[in-house]
Amino acid sequence: MSIAIENFVKAIYKNDKHDTQDTKPGNIAKKLGISNAAATDMAKKLAAKDLLNYEKYQALKLTDKGTKMALNVVRKHRLWEAFLFKMFDMSLHDIHREAELLEHQTSDLLAEKISEYLGHPKFDPHGDPIPNADGEITTEDTSISLSDAIEGKTYTIARLMSDDKEFFDFCAQNQIKYRNTLTVSKQFIANKMTQISIGSNTIVLNEDFTKIIYVDEN
Amino acid sequence: MSIAIENFVKAIYKNDKHDTQDTKPGNIAKKLGISNAAATDMAKKLAAKDLLNYEKYQALKLTDKGTKMALNVVRKHRLWEAFLFKMFDMSLHDIHREAELLEHQTSDLLAEKISEYLGHPKFDPHGDPIPNADGEITTEDTSISLSDAIEGKTYTIARLMSDDKEFFDFCAQNQIKYRNTLTVSKQFIANKMTQISIGSNTIVLNEDFTKIIYVDEN
DNA sequence: ATTATTTTTTAAGTATACTTAAATTTTTTA
DNA sequence: TAAAAAATTTAAGTATACTTAAAAAATAAT
């Protein structure tokens, strides 16, 4: 299946999540930057391939097969975002753009290797769920902010909820990386500060930081 | 420029390295798995784009612009191979197949990030040179086998010249990974053995291993 | 409820990257 | 060196993924 088809199916899936009426050809066309005519055209073709149900003038509905394809692409996109975010010092915007391309040229095997390397994360750095290889999605987010973490426990970094460059620079310097492991050595409750050990470092963070660092219990 | 064009230009570049006569449309066609007619067709199109010089019945010759494009694709291919080889436990065959796809969907920025992460290697795990961002290639290979390394010096692993799964398993378990750093702590010259420290490990290797592990001096 | 606006669809056409079949040119070999 | 074989080119045609323009249907507004 082509890149155009994958993107089409993905657009329907994402729009549908947002609003069922949002999957009419015109909305998909706008999202993909193609003409309405092209979207109608493609919809008919994909209906013939059993990827979606097409009825004139109606919203497009993915079939199970189409949903599975969309989830597979979304999985690869979010795994790439997570992986590149962990590996390289790049802006989230740049990372998104790379993932948008790489998602279509990634075998299931490589996706699995990336997932394995990251410890099979259930959410990407934005907090969006990563479907598993069978297309299953974890809906409830069990991540907690570091400010709510429990003394003595070990966690994996699930999200860094910020766009601030200074914050990311600080994180990079202190091994605070998506998917890294840390242990909460002390919660200074009165002072709203948290002491963590990460790699060979021990760091005390104030509330400004602990509120935007989300972690999963190990 | 499309994937088809990138692959076409790359095929000419690689065939030309091997034999100048090897870049006639038919040979390129065979390499790409397309018909001779398609190759002639494409050759004319690319001549119009100033990527190659086309003369009827003659071998195809890349222009500077075409060579630059080919080198850029080759660079990305080899960087991906190097990167995936380092990061994941995958067969070289699988890695090649992934790189063949990813090479066309990789920005110059991401390529540079990968190169930086690997310490700007000049050769990939097969020993093929990795062009730099300007398309320059290092021709002479300065890597040496571990058996010829000098006591006390620190090296970066440049190649693992083997297809043997057991060897790779052993390497994986002992941090002997492409681009990792090691120090030669002792050469047991009489016994043809080499003691290295890599990460927190100390390993004594016999000649079977030191002859196929190639390193670059740091 | 009728008109105006917007959206969707149909129809016709384009660029890319191929295909097969036949014609032409080159290369090989006897 | 002339005929046979192989390669290249030309020509005609196909599938994909679009485009614009016009027609048809649905939605919104008065």
Side-chain angles (χ1 to χ4, degrees):
Chain A
M1 298 283 179
S2 70
I3 294 174
I5 292 176
E6 288 189 349
N7 278 332
F8 199 86
V9 160
K10 188 178 83 165
I12 296 171
Y13 175 80
K14 293 188 111 185
N15 274 22
D16 194 34
K17 287 242 118 175
H18 182 253
D19 171 6
T20 311
Q21 281 310 100
D22 218 29
T23 63
K24 287 190 177 177
N27 293 316
I28 304 303
K30 195 180 288 171
K31 187 149 194 168
L32 295 175
I34 61 177
S35 68
N36 288 8
T40 300
D41 228 54
M42 184 62 104
K44 285 185 194 169
K45 271 192 233 161
L46 298 198
K49 288 184 198 285
D50 190 34
L51 290 167
L52 53 81
N53 294 122
Y54 174 70
E55 281 183 87
K56 271 192 181 184
Y57 304 107
Q58 301 305 307
L60 306 174
K61 302 291 283 174
L62 292 180
T63 60
D64 284 354
K65 189 177 162 192
T67 304
K68 208 165 180 180
M69 178 185 283
L71 284 164
N72 191 255
V73 178
V74 166
R75 168 174 165 79
K76 286 167 184 173
H77 179 96
R78 292 182 181 163
L79 282 172
W80 273 117
E81 285 211 342
F83 183 65
L84 296 179
F85 183 66
K86 176 167 171 63
M87 297 301 296
F88 304 122
D89 180 28
M90 287 170 76
S91 77
L92 288 176
H93 179 254
D94 282 345
I95 280 175
H96 175 81
R97 275 178 44 225
E98 302 288 348
E100 205 68 17
L101 299 176
L102 297 173
E103 65 187 12
H104 305 293
Q105 307 292 352
T106 308
S107 71
D108 290 347
L109 172 67
L110 179 56
E112 196 52 29
K113 290 283 177 188
I114 293 172
S115 180
E116 186 186 329
Y117 178 81
L118 296 170
H120 300 294
K122 292 198 168 53
F123 294 87
D124 74 11
H126 303 290
D128 293 320
I130 301 176
N132 72 13
D134 296 324
E136 291 155 353
I137 278 193
T138 301
T139 45
E140 78 302 12
D141 184 354
T142 54
S143 304
I144 56 170
S145 86
L146 201 48
S147 59
D148 298 326
I150 292 157
E151 217 171 87
K153 287 201 173 174
T154 295
Y155 297 89
T156 301
I157 296 172
R159 271 202 302 295
L160 303 169
M161 297 292 278
S162 170
D163 295 324
D164 183 47
K165 188 167 163 34
E166 272 193 19
F167 172 67
F168 279 116
D169 285 347
F170 170 81
C171 289
Q173 277 163 30
N174 291 281
Q175 302 183 60
I176 299 172
K177 268 261 144 194
Y178 175 70
R179 290 274 109 196
N180 273 10
T181 290
L182 61 83
T183 300
V184 174
S185 38
K186 207 155 216 160
Q187 283 286 17
F188 299 100
I189 291 153
N191 297 295
K192 295 181 175 168
M193 313 250 285
T194 305
Q195 185 186 62
I196 62 171
S197 66
I198 184 162
S200 51
N201 292 16
T202 295
I203 313 166
V204 179
L205 298 163
N206 70 22
E207 198 184 25
D208 292 342
F209 279 15
T210 59
K211 283 283 185 202
I212 58 178
I213 298 174
Y214 279 75
V215 293
D216 292 328
E217 201 172 323
N218 271 27
Chain B
M1 298 283 181
S2 68
I3 294 175
I5 292 175
E6 288 189 349
N7 278 331
F8 199 86
V9 160
K10 188 178 82 163
I12 297 171
Y13 175 80
K14 293 189 113 185
N15 273 21
D16 193 34
K17 287 241 118 175
H18 182 251
D19 171 5
T20 310
Q21 281 309 101
D22 218 28
T23 64
K24 287 190 175 176
N27 294 316
I28 303 303
K30 195 179 291 173
K31 188 149 192 168
L32 296 175
I34 60 176
S35 68
N36 288 8
T40 301
D41 227 54
M42 184 61 105
K44 285 185 193 168
K45 271 192 233 159
L46 298 198
K49 287 184 196 286
D50 191 34
L51 290 167
L52 54 81
N53 295 122
Y54 174 70
E55 282 182 87
K56 270 192 181 181
Y57 304 107
Q58 302 305 307
L60 306 174
K61 302 291 283 176
L62 292 179
T63 60
D64 285 355
K65 189 177 161 192
T67 304
K68 208 165 180 180
M69 177 185 282
L71 284 164
N72 190 254
V73 178
V74 166
R75 168 174 165 78
K76 286 167 184 172
H77 179 96
R78 292 181 182 164
L79 281 172
W80 273 117
E81 286 211 342
F83 183 65
L84 297 179
F85 182 66
K86 178 169 169 61
M87 297 301 296
F88 304 121
D89 180 28
M90 287 170 77
S91 76
L92 287 176
H93 179 255
D94 283 345
I95 280 174
H96 175 79
R97 276 177 43 223
E98 302 288 348
E100 205 68 18
L101 299 176
L102 296 172
E103 65 187 11
H104 305 294
Q105 307 292 351
T106 308
S107 72
D108 290 346
L109 172 66
L110 179 55
E112 195 53 28
K113 290 285 177 186
I114 293 172
S115 180
E116 186 186 328
Y117 178 80
L118 296 171
H120 299 294
K122 291 196 166 56
F123 294 88
D124 73 10
H126 304 291
D128 292 319
I130 301 174
N132 72 13
D134 296 323
E136 291 155 354
I137 279 193
T138 301
T139 45
E140 80 300 14
D141 183 354
T142 54
S143 305
I144 56 169
S145 85
L146 201 48
S147 59
D148 298 326
I150 292 158
E151 216 172 270
K153 286 202 173 173
T154 296
Y155 297 89
T156 300
I157 296 172
R159 272 203 300 298
L160 302 170
M161 297 292 278
S162 170
D163 295 324
D164 183 48
K165 185 162 165 35
E166 275 194 19
F167 171 69
F168 279 116
D169 286 346
F170 171 81
C171 289
Q173 277 163 31
N174 291 281
Q175 301 183 59
I176 299 171
K177 267 262 147 192
Y178 175 70
R179 289 276 107 196
N180 272 10
T181 290
L182 61 82
T183 299
V184 174
S185 36
K186 206 153 215 161
Q187 284 286 16
F188 299 98
I189 291 153
N191 296 295
K192 293 182 174 165
M193 312 235 294
T194 305
Q195 181 186 323
I196 61 170
S197 66
I198 184 162
S200 50
N201 291 15
T202 295
I203 313 167
V204 181
L205 298 162
N206 71 17
E207 203 183 22
D208 293 344
F209 280 18
T210 58
K211 282 284 185 200
I212 59 177
I213 298 173
Y214 279 75
V215 294
D216 293 326
E217 200 174 322
N218 272 25

